[in-house]
Amino acid sequence: MITPHPQHFEHVLTDDRLNVLAKALLEECFTTEDDLQSSYDSGYSRGCTRFDRQKNKLKLLALEHRWLTISDGSNRLVMAIEGLPFRFARDQHNSPRKPATLLVSQTEAIQHEKFVLESQMEMDFDGVALTERVKKPTFWRFFVEVSESLEDGRDFNIYFVGFNELKQQVCVWEYDNKVAVVTSVDETRHEAVDLLPAEAKVPQVSVEKQVNDKQNKDSPDE
C-alpha cells in the first residue's frame, strides 16, 4: 500500500529526521543481538534489553538535536519532533497486537493539542464530516518489527506510521536500511595522488675520509 509521505501531513517530519531516529532504533536491535548470546538469554531478556537501550538512545539523541524533545521520559516514552509527539513500540505495524501500542496517554494528548495550537491548525471538528477528519493522522508511532526465518535468521525493520482518530493507518513510512552509501564528511571527494616509486638510498661514505683513515693506519706511531 502506497501512502503519502509523513511530511505531506506535517512539515516537521522530514526524511533526515525520521532517518536519524529509525537508524538509532535499528542499531540497537543488532547491537543487542550481538551482545546477548549467552545460553541463559531468551527472547524475553533480549526484548527487554533492546527496548531499554532504544529508549535511552532516543533520549540521548534529544541532547544532540534541537528539533527533538522529551515530553515523558518514563517507559511510556513520549518524544516530539518540533512539538509533534510520537512513541515507539515493538509490534506489527500493519496490525498492532499490543493494546498499549495505540494507546494515547494524557501526556501525548496534551502535547498534540499544544502542537496543533502552536501550528495554527485548529479545526472545528463538529463542522467537519467524519470522512474528511479520518484522512489526517492524529498520532504517530515508530514500529520495530522482528522477523525470523531458518535461512536468514533474525531481521529487523523500522516503520513510522500515522493513525487517525479511529486508529486506522493513514500514512506508512519505511526506513530503507538496505542500501549503504559511503560519503565524505565534508561532501567532497579527494583526488587520487600519483606517487613516484620509492628510491632506495645507500649511505655514501666520503672518499676523502676513507683515504685519510687508510693513511693514518699506515703511518708509524710517533
Side-chain angles (χ1 to χ4, degrees):
M1 179 180 64
I2 299 177
T3 63
H5 189 279
Q7 199 171 14
H8 171 79
F9 300 102
E10 305 293 356
H11 73 279
V12 301
L13 299 177
T14 64
D15 266 330
D16 288 344
R17 292 169 176 174
L18 297 180
N19 281 330
V20 166
L21 298 168
K23 180 182 178 183
L25 291 170
L26 187 64
E27 285 178 344
E28 289 312 307
C29 287
F30 290 110
T31 300
T32 303
E33 288 295 302
D34 290 341
D35 290 345
L36 303 185
Q37 292 297 324
S38 166
S39 58
Y40 304 113
D41 285 313
S42 64
Y44 177 80
S45 65
R46 294 186 184 95
C48 291
T49 303
R50 182 172 60 239
F51 171 81
D52 199 47
R53 289 182 176 184
Q54 289 172 324
K55 177 194 68 177
N56 293 330
K57 187 161 189 173
L58 292 186
K59 292 168 74 172
L60 288 176
L61 283 178
L63 301 177
E64 302 176 18
H65 303 282
R66 297 180 60 183
W67 47 266
L68 185 63
T69 54
I70 303 172
S71 302
D72 183 349
S74 69
N75 282 339
R76 293 175 302 193
L77 185 64
V78 178
M79 302 187 74
I81 301 174
E82 280 198 32
L84 180 66
F86 71 90
R87 291 175 53 209
F88 83 94
R90 191 287 199 213
D91 208 336
Q92 300 297 316
H93 82 281
N94 280 327
S95 54
R97 301 173 181 177
K98 302 176 183 178
T101 298
L102 302 184
L103 180 65
V104 178
S105 65
Q106 183 178 7
T107 300
E108 186 179 5
I110 293 174
Q111 182 67 45
H112 182 268
E113 182 179 358
K114 180 181 178 182
F115 173 80
V116 171
L117 292 174
E118 291 180 350
S119 302
Q120 297 181 346
M121 296 185 297
E122 300 137 289
M123 296 181 63
D124 181 9
F125 286 122
D126 293 335
V128 179
L130 180 61
T131 54
E132 292 298 319
R133 286 159 49 185
V134 298
K135 292 180 180 179
K136 183 177 176 63
T138 58
F139 63 99
W140 299 85
R141 295 287 182 271
F142 270 104
F143 285 88
V144 179
E145 279 197 7
V146 182
S147 59
E148 296 187 49
S149 66
L150 294 176
E151 296 81 11
D152 304 324
R154 183 170 294 185
D155 195 11
F156 305 91
N157 289 287
I158 310 296
Y159 298 88
F160 187 63
V161 182
F163 294 88
N164 62 21
E165 58 185 274
L166 299 180
K167 299 183 178 180
Q168 299 171 334
Q169 289 186 358
V170 180
C171 175
V172 179
W173 176 91
E174 182 179 2
Y175 177 51
D176 183 11
N177 62 300
K178 306 302 180 185
V179 180
V181 180
V182 179
T183 59
S184 171
V185 175
D186 57 2
E187 298 183 356
T188 60
R189 295 186 62 183
H190 298 284
E191 297 294 332
V193 179
D194 293 328
L195 299 178
L196 295 175
E199 295 182 1
K201 294 184 178 181
V202 179
Q204 301 296 320
V205 180
S206 170
V207 175
E208 182 180 356
K209 184 176 184 302
Q210 289 181 356
V211 172
N212 292 336
D213 289 345
K214 186 176 185 306
Q215 290 176 345
N216 292 334
K217 290 181 180 179
D218 294 340
S219 297
D221 294 338
E222 294 181 356

